[in-house]
Amino acid sequence: MRQIYLAALALCALSPAAIAAENEGRDILPENATPVSYSIAIEPDIAAMNFKGTARLNFKVTKKTDRITVNALDLDIEKATLDNGEKARIETDNAAQRATFIFAEPLSKGDHTIAVDYTGKIQSQAYGLFAVTYPTEDGSDTMLATQFEPGDARRLAPMWDEPAKKAVFEISAIVDPDLMVISNGAPVQKTPEGDKVRVDFKPTPKMSSYLLFLGIGHFDRITDHAGDVELGIVARAGDGEKGRYAIEATKEILAAYNDYFGVDYPLEKLDQIAVPGAGGFGAMENWGAIMYFEQLLLLDPVLSGPDDRQNIFNVIAHEVAHQWFGDLVTMSWWDDLWLNEGYASWMQAKISAKLHPDRQAWLKSLAGRETAFGLDSIPSSHAIVQNVRNIDEANLAFDAITYQKGRAVIRMIEAYLGEDAFREGMRAYMKKHAYANTVTGDLWAALEKASKVPVRAIAADFTTQSGVPLIIIDSVRCEGGNSIATLHQGNFAADISGKDETKRWRTPVTASIAGSSDISRAIIFGPGAQTMTLKGCGAAKFNLGESAYFRTRYEDAEFKALLGAFARLNATDQLGLINDAFALGASGDAPYSRFIDIVEITPADADPVILSSITNNLVVLAKLFDGAEGEEDFRKFARGWLSGAFRQVGWTQQETELENERILRANLITALAQLGDEEVMKEAQRRFAAFRKDPASLPSDLVTPVIQAVGATADKKTFDQLVALARNAKSTRDARLYYIAAAGIRSRAFEQHAADMIFDAKTPSQFQPLLFGIFSKSHSEFGWDYYKANREKIDSLLDPLQRLRYPSQIAKTSNDAKTADDLESFARENLPDSANADVTRAAETIRANAAVREKRLPDIVKRLKSGAGS
């Protein structure tokens, strides 16, 4: 029923009746009132970890009522006064996250105001209004920041905290005079208030509550301009200049988006705030005041490498895209979260490909598509457009389906419609729905009107049902100088035994003969055999440019032909072939030996993104082989291949190198250390010893991989040295680097010692969940048992987004099916029902990996022993 209803929904914008039907079953506020604006003043007490607040809620009553219900959480509401002076009776329900103001007589339709006095909590983790304590040269300091998505603005003030309840926000903060305050708008005045100062900000545009931001601390703020827009990078005092690259990147990104969307960035300023520490997310797109954890915004001249530079550019591109997709135009409810995240993910790759083509953004985006394929190939996956009933479920919607599958489907639709028509539709969508809310159908309507192409049915197939199409190339024969391909559609599953062959997708398929520029196109639908005619004869490659969302399986003859033509394929098509061979081998759809065949013919001077991808796959296989028959044969093969690739790049950077080659060098060092390569381990240890004496001795490109290599191969003495370096660091960035290296220790002899370090009071609490997640990747069973034994302590360190997901994240590092059973049992006894979907997905992933170990790895062992191609 849900899939059928959503397919219909995709065809048009929602009518009022449809909106009412869609709201049925959602945990939303009564529809008797809607906000117009808020005036909120906050006075924090950092030492006491609380704050005083006053809020004026200006709203419109749409249906006569004697009570107004808003969202509120962890707020102690002292009084609420109506504009006529009447004091409201206040009922709060912390479990329901609501406060109700009850009056003696019903409020008439029209405009009203309630003034509220209250107090609230400052959090120690990254949600609501939270505090971060960080080291400086002069000791420690603390800053405050906010994180409100999806439902934590209600921790700052009582309000209508739902995305469709857009309103104007006027924010004020009462702080010590030496502190800087940042919010969505520009400050308009500072007024002394006792021994403090009150900072008032300009009203925001009409926007959703989760986009509100407040930051307070000892900050540097460097500025520049992009046209009439003031750009600011805000960082802790002393770090401002580390944001210079970010501000330059923002200038070019903002100009490109103004052009693409046809709607200029609508605010007068855009601040981007660097916050030390870590959380269950990386950055947040607050309108005009984007928040980042600092490693995603600041470049350190000693520690940062080219991967940091690219990550910073990509994350900025993503968050600035949200200023249009998400902030200017916002999804109506969390069902359509992908309208924010999928489009921002797509736009980040698109703009990077335009402005920095050498970085190969689309080629790199295939890694994200693989992540989406992984989640989407298990039975409990979900559709892009999903049924979200409450805030807990909204938290769980932030996953690879929303982000990476969303991006891949958008890219497929753009390729199907053409770039110009797609952009015309996007511009019309932005203009029509500015400062308003939308559903997925609004977007399809705009794209179809602009392109005159019936895209809705294709779009509905990929957004309203889960799963991955499998296009099977049955045969390709040469007739009269052309190739006749016979193909059909199936379903890809992580384990071939779990296929659901009932699903169908109208799938756009492109194909050509290797090396040819002549492209054939077709829509493939269903299991019946269909044909495509390709100009010319030879090896045929399908899904050109890997722009569509499906896996491709070739029968033996066609696969061998492509192996022979591998050098004539472009890098994207080569990587698509590699990724499919790896995944189809793991699922049982094709011999796993095919992946080894491709690895062996991939030259050491192939595109560095391809070599990095193979490197990552070999590391994944090494973990699957851990303790399995043939482990040493595989590790020997992997080390041999990685060493050959590393010899091509060496330890020393060349002047003509591209950034991706430098990133490849770092990946190879890390991988070889993890696989126990003696030569790389010794050299990393030598360089690390020199770095400790003279940081200038090690190029910034190599700092992270060298220290991580030392951590992976550490004995207890080296481990303790890394921890000491972390705890004596004068910056959060340095501490984070050393802690992560220590958490990556692979020796099982020191598991308890490492886990105890992670949760020691001397380790910053915001780092602890991150570090334990890294540690558990190499110590799966120990990590899962440790979490269960220390659940209460660990859960106290987690924000709401993490709390439901963390048990599954730790458990699914295991490849043992018994852990899946144990996770399900643990969840039944300890977790709320809202965690069930995530638990099921984790359990299915564990069992799929266990099946790979049992059923698929022997094919690789046989292939390595034979030394012959398949």
Side-chain angles (χ1 to χ4, degrees):
M1 288 293 291
R2 180 64 185 168
Q3 289 183 356
I4 294 171
Y5 173 73
L6 286 173
L9 171 63
L11 301 181
C12 62
L14 287 178
S15 66
I19 291 173
E22 186 71 353
N23 284 340
E24 185 71 26
R26 288 177 178 167
D27 181 14
I28 60 174
L29 294 169
E31 294 290 335
N32 57 7
T34 187
V36 175
S37 65
Y38 304 90
S39 296
I40 300 170
I42 301 297
E43 183 177 358
D45 184 339
I46 296 176
M49 290 293 280
N50 59 35
F51 64 90
K52 295 178 181 178
T54 61
R56 290 180 60 84
L57 284 58
N58 303 305
F59 59 97
K60 187 179 292 294
V61 171
T62 56
K63 183 179 180 181
K64 200 172 180 180
T65 179
D66 67 345
R67 61 194 60 216
I68 298 297
T69 300
V70 296
N71 294 116
L73 180 59
D74 291 336
L75 301 179
D76 184 1
I77 300 175
E78 298 166 6
K79 64 179 179 178
T81 308
L82 195 62
D83 42 20
N84 65 5
E86 180 185 355
K87 298 291 191 294
R89 180 162 59 89
I90 303 165
E91 292 183 354
T92 58
D93 185 340
N94 216 49
Q97 303 183 10
R98 293 182 178 185
T100 300
F101 307 122
I102 304 170
F103 303 97
E105 299 293 335
L107 303 184
S108 61
K109 289 185 178 181
D111 295 329
H112 297 272
T113 298
I114 298 176
V116 186
D117 293 343
Y118 60 97
T119 58
K121 297 178 182 179
I122 296 175
Q123 310 295 331
S124 58
Q125 301 298 322
Y127 61 97
L129 176 64
F130 67 95
V132 177
T133 299
Y134 53 92
T136 73
E137 293 290 343
D138 301 319
S140 65
D141 200 357
T142 300
M143 70 170 66
L144 299 180
T146 57
Q147 165 62 17
F148 292 149
E149 188 180 29
D152 283 313
R154 64 195 67 179
R155 296 178 187 269
L156 186 77
M159 65 178 72
W160 285 263
D161 192 18
E162 296 172 0
K165 303 296 187 182
K166 288 192 170 187
V168 173
F169 292 82
E170 292 184 66
I171 296 296
S172 301
I174 302 158
V175 299
D176 291 340
D178 63 331
L179 295 173
M180 184 185 296
V181 186
I182 304 293
S183 191
N184 305 79
V188 290
Q189 66 176 11
K190 294 184 178 181
T191 308
E193 196 160 304
D195 60 352
K196 296 188 176 183
V197 62
R198 179 187 176 104
V199 184
D200 298 320
F201 290 87
K202 286 187 176 181
T204 69
K206 185 181 178 183
M207 69 180 197
S208 300
S209 54
Y210 75 87
L211 299 172
L212 190 61
F213 179 79
L214 185 64
I216 302 170
H218 294 110
F219 295 140
D220 282 350
R221 182 175 184 261
I222 64 170
T223 62
D224 205 333
H225 281 81
D228 295 331
V229 179
E230 182 179 89
L231 304 179
I233 300 295
V234 180
R236 56 187 175 154
D239 274 3
E241 282 303 313
K242 293 180 180 179
R244 189 60 63 184
Y245 171 73
I247 211 166
E248 292 300 323
T250 304
K251 286 168 67 175
E252 61 177 341
I253 289 167
L254 199 64
Y257 285 166
N258 283 339
D259 175 65
Y260 186 87
F261 290 122
V263 175
D264 285 349
Y265 175 77
L267 280 63
E268 62 179 322
K269 68 95 173 173
L270 174 57
D271 278 320
Q272 297 179 95
I273 302 95
V275 175
F281 62 101
M284 178 59 206
E285 65 267 21
N286 315 297
W287 211 357
I290 305 170
M291 193 275 272
Y292 303 76
F293 287 109
E294 62 183 10
Q295 69 274 10
L296 297 175
L297 191 65
L298 306 181
L299 278 179
D300 188 295
V302 175
L303 304 178
S304 300
D307 52 340
D308 295 300
R309 184 178 296 268
Q310 290 191 16
N311 285 340
I312 287 170
F313 184 94
N314 289 337
V315 176
I316 291 174
H318 182 103
E319 301 305 328
V320 174
H322 274 309
Q323 306 300 290
W324 284 265
F325 258 111
D327 298 5
L328 181 64
V329 181
T330 313
M331 79 273 149
S332 291
W333 181 247
W334 303 107
D335 285 29
D336 286 302
L337 177 63
W338 87 290
L339 286 174
N340 289 11
E341 300 300 350
Y343 271 82
S345 300
W346 168 78
M347 201 71 211
Q348 113 191 15
K350 187 170 184 67
I351 216 67
S352 179
K354 176 182 178 180
L355 298 176
H356 296 280
D358 58 300
R359 292 178 177 174
Q360 297 272 45
W362 286 121
L363 186 62
K364 287 191 167 185
S365 76
L366 295 187
R369 192 183 66 166
E370 288 302 302
T371 302
F373 280 159
L375 177 54
D376 213 15
S377 61
I378 58 176
S380 60
S381 182
H382 63 83
I384 287 177
V385 180
Q386 53 187 309
N387 183 18
V388 174
R389 294 171 296 179
N390 53 46
I391 289 299
D392 280 350
E393 291 183 2
N395 273 321
L396 296 175
F398 291 82
D399 65 10
I401 300 299
T402 297
Y403 286 76
Q404 281 83 19
K405 183 177 181 179
R407 172 170 63 188
V409 169
I410 294 160
R411 188 181 183 208
M412 177 176 68
I413 291 172
E414 184 200 30
Y416 181 70
L417 298 181
E419 286 186 277
D420 292 343
F422 188 88
R423 182 173 62 179
E424 183 182 343
M426 292 301 313
R427 288 177 168 179
Y429 173 85
M430 283 293 159
K431 290 177 181 177
K432 181 176 181 180
H433 300 289
Y435 304 101
N437 297 82
T438 61
V439 294
T440 295
D442 295 318
L443 180 61
W444 303 148
L447 292 175
E448 194 160 88
K449 183 177 179 180
S451 67
K452 307 296 190 293
V453 175
V455 71
R456 303 186 212 199
I458 292 173
D461 284 351
F462 282 89
T463 58
T464 66
Q465 64 178 343
S466 64
V468 182
L470 177 64
I471 301 300
I472 301 160
I473 314 304
D474 298 303
S475 64
V476 180
R477 66 184 188 277
C478 183
E479 290 185 4
N482 291 326
S483 294
I484 309 300
T486 302
L487 62 163
H488 70 279
Q489 183 186 94
N491 175 275
F492 174 74
D495 188 319
I496 194 170
S497 64
K499 284 182 181 290
D500 175 5
E501 297 292 4
T502 64
K503 292 181 179 179
R504 306 283 186 271
W505 299 264
R506 296 166 181 84
T507 307
V509 175
T510 54
S512 73
I513 299 301
S516 172
S517 59
D518 292 305
I519 300 174
S520 298
R521 292 178 171 83
I523 300 294
I524 304 300
F525 183 74
Q530 300 174 66
T531 60
M532 292 178 65
T533 300
L534 286 60
K535 190 172 183 179
C537 291
K541 173 64 175 66
F542 290 76
N543 199 7
L544 301 176
E546 295 296 311
S547 62
Y549 188 79
F550 64 85
R551 288 210 181 278
T552 310
R553 190 188 84 194
Y554 300 87
E555 295 303 333
D556 286 345
E558 284 63 44
F559 179 77
K560 288 179 180 178
L562 275 173
L563 281 184
F566 189 76
R568 299 199 300 277
L569 300 177
N570 64 38
T572 308
D573 288 328
Q574 287 179 340
L575 185 52
L577 192 66
I578 292 168
N579 287 342
D580 281 340
F582 186 84
L584 294 170
S587 69
D589 282 282
Y592 221 156
S593 55
R594 285 186 177 183
F595 173 70
I596 303 300
D597 295 341
I598 297 181
V599 170
E600 288 192 333
I601 67 166
T602 302
D605 61 352
D607 189 289
V609 177
I610 290 177
L611 299 179
S612 286
S613 180
I614 291 176
T615 299
N616 294 337
N617 284 336
L618 291 174
V619 170
V620 169
L621 275 173
K623 178 172 173 55
L624 287 168
F625 264 107
D626 189 14
E629 183 181 351
E631 176 184 7
E632 190 47 47
D633 287 340
F634 175 77
R635 293 173 73 89
K636 180 179 179 181
F637 166 79
R639 285 194 298 267
W641 186 90
L642 293 167
S643 296
F646 188 61
R647 283 192 295 272
Q648 188 75 22
V649 297
W651 282 93
T652 305
Q653 178 184 332
Q654 305 301 313
E655 290 185 7
T656 57
E657 278 184 354
L658 298 174
E659 283 185 346
N660 287 344
E661 293 174 286
R662 294 156 62 191
I663 293 170
L664 171 63
R665 175 182 293 111
N667 290 342
L668 288 168
I669 291 169
T670 303
L672 282 164
Q674 290 178 340
L675 288 169
D677 184 272
E678 293 288 342
E679 185 177 333
V680 165
M681 289 162 53
K682 288 179 181 178
E683 182 63 13
Q685 291 162 357
R686 185 190 71 77
R687 289 175 180 254
F688 177 60
F691 173 75
R692 290 189 61 192
K693 295 177 181 178
D694 176 17
S697 68
L698 192 60
S700 62
D701 291 16
L702 296 181
V703 171
T704 296
V706 162
I707 294 176
Q708 288 185 349
V710 169
T713 59
D715 55 18
K716 185 176 181 299
K717 179 181 178 182
T718 304
F719 175 87
D720 289 342
Q721 287 176 342
L722 291 169
V723 173
L725 288 166
R727 289 183 174 158
N728 293 322
K730 300 302 182 184
S731 77
T732 308
R733 186 70 178 267
D734 283 29
R736 188 177 191 275
L737 173 63
Y738 290 119
Y739 274 127
I740 286 176
I745 187 170
R746 300 184 69 80
S747 172
R748 291 178 180 169
F750 314 114
E751 288 178 328
Q752 187 69 45
H753 183 65
D756 290 344
M757 177 281 296
I758 290 171
F759 293 108
D760 188 281
K762 295 178 183 178
T763 304
S765 63
Q766 288 187 328
F767 282 166
Q768 291 176 13
L770 167 70
L771 299 177
F772 190 64
I774 292 169
F775 169 79
S776 295
K777 289 179 181 179
S778 300
H779 306 275
S780 303
E781 313 313 325
F782 179 91
W784 174 235
D785 289 339
Y786 189 95
Y787 169 78
K788 289 185 295 180
N790 298 274
R791 178 196 171 211
E792 186 174 340
K793 175 177 68 174
I794 295 174
D795 279 1
S796 71
L797 303 168
L798 302 173
D799 63 45
L801 190 151
Q802 293 173 296
R803 205 165 291 140
L804 293 174
R805 315 190 84 157
Y806 201 71
S808 296
Q809 290 173 354
I810 298 301
K812 73 179 179 183
T813 61
S814 172
N815 299 319
D816 187 342
K818 292 179 181 178
T819 304
D821 298 337
D822 193 36
L823 171 63
E824 291 170 331
S825 176
F826 173 85
R828 284 192 296 271
E829 295 178 9
N830 297 285
L831 299 181
D833 290 346
S834 50
N836 288 348
D838 216 48
V839 168
T840 299
R841 290 164 196 154
E844 289 173 353
T845 299
I846 296 167
R847 292 186 178 110
N849 287 335
V852 173
R853 279 174 57 87
E854 178 186 354
K855 302 176 184 177
R856 321 294 180 217
L857 295 187
D859 184 54
I860 291 179
V861 174
K862 181 180 178 182
R863 166 67 176 81
L864 293 176
K865 288 185 181 298
S866 71
S870 64

